[in-house]
C-alpha cells in the first residue's frame, strides 16, 4: 500500500497562512484552493492549511499538538533559524533550550498553532 501522511493545520485564512508558512519554510504551495492549501514536504509528507472548519478560530484556545520542523543541521542551524524567525516577527513561545531529544524552540503561527523546531531523529 502506498500512503502519504498529510498534517492538516486549521487556520482562519488559508492564503494568509500559506504566505506565513511559505516564508518560514522557503517554499511554494504544491496545491491551492481558496480554503485549502498544501505544501509538499518530500516523499510521503505534506503540510495542509485548511480554513473554514471552525468559525473565528482563536489563538487563545490551548493547542494539544505541534507541527515539528525536524532539521539535520545541529544546534547551530537551530539557533540560526530561531534568529531568522525572531527577526521576521514570528511569535516565540519558548526560546532555544535543551530537551530530551536535543536543542529545540517553540513558535506559533498567527492562528495560535504551535511550530516546534527540533533535531531530526
Amino acid at each position: 500500500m502506498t500512503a502519504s501522511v498529510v498534517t492538516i493545520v486549521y487556520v482562519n485564512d488559508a492564503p494568509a497562512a500559506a504566505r506565513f508558512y511559505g516564508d518560514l519554510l522557503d517554499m511554494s504551495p504544491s496545491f491551492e484552493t481558496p480554503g485549502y492549501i498544501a505544501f509538499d514536504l518530500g516523499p510521503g509528507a505534506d503540510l495542509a492549511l485548511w480554513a473554514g472548519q471552525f468559525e473565528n478560530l482563536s489563538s487563545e484556545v490551548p493547542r494539544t499538538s505541534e507541527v515539528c520542523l525536524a532539521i539535520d543541521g545541529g544546534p547551530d542551524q537551530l539557533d540560526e533559524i530561531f534568529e531568522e524567525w525572531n527577526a521576521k516577527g514570528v511569535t516565540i513561545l519558548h526560546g532555544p533550550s535543551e530537551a530530551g531529544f536535543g536543542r529545540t524552540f517553540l513558535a506559533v503561527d498567527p492562528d495560535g498553532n504551535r511550530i516546534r523546531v527540533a533535531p531530526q531523529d
Side-chain angles (χ1 to χ4, degrees):
M1 171 175 79
T2 301
S4 181
V5 175
V6 179
T7 300
I8 297 174
V9 176
Y10 298 119
V11 297
N12 284 306
D13 181 331
R19 286 189 298 275
F20 175 84
Y21 279 93
D23 182 48
L24 290 187
L25 301 173
D26 193 27
M27 60 182 2
S28 298
S30 57
F31 179 83
E32 293 184 63
T33 68
Y36 183 91
I37 300 175
F39 291 87
D40 179 353
L41 301 178
D46 294 286
L47 172 66
L49 309 167
W50 195 3
Q53 299 308 298
F54 297 95
E55 193 170 316
N56 298 319
L57 183 64
S58 169
S59 61
E60 301 302 314
V61 175
R63 300 305 203 271
T64 59
S65 64
E66 300 172 347
V67 171
C68 182
L69 175 60
I71 61 168
D72 61 3
D76 290 340
Q77 182 187 20
L78 183 132
D79 289 341
E80 288 173 18
I81 293 169
F82 171 77
E83 292 300 329
E84 286 175 20
W85 289 17
N86 207 26
K88 290 179 181 187
V90 175
T91 301
I92 305 295
L93 293 182
H94 301 289
S97 62
E98 296 300 321
F101 48 82
R103 192 159 177 79
T104 184
F105 74 88
L106 184 63
V108 293
D109 73 13
D111 292 300
N113 298 299
R114 293 171 170 234
I115 308 166
R116 180 170 299 281
V117 178
Q120 192 172 39
D121 292 338

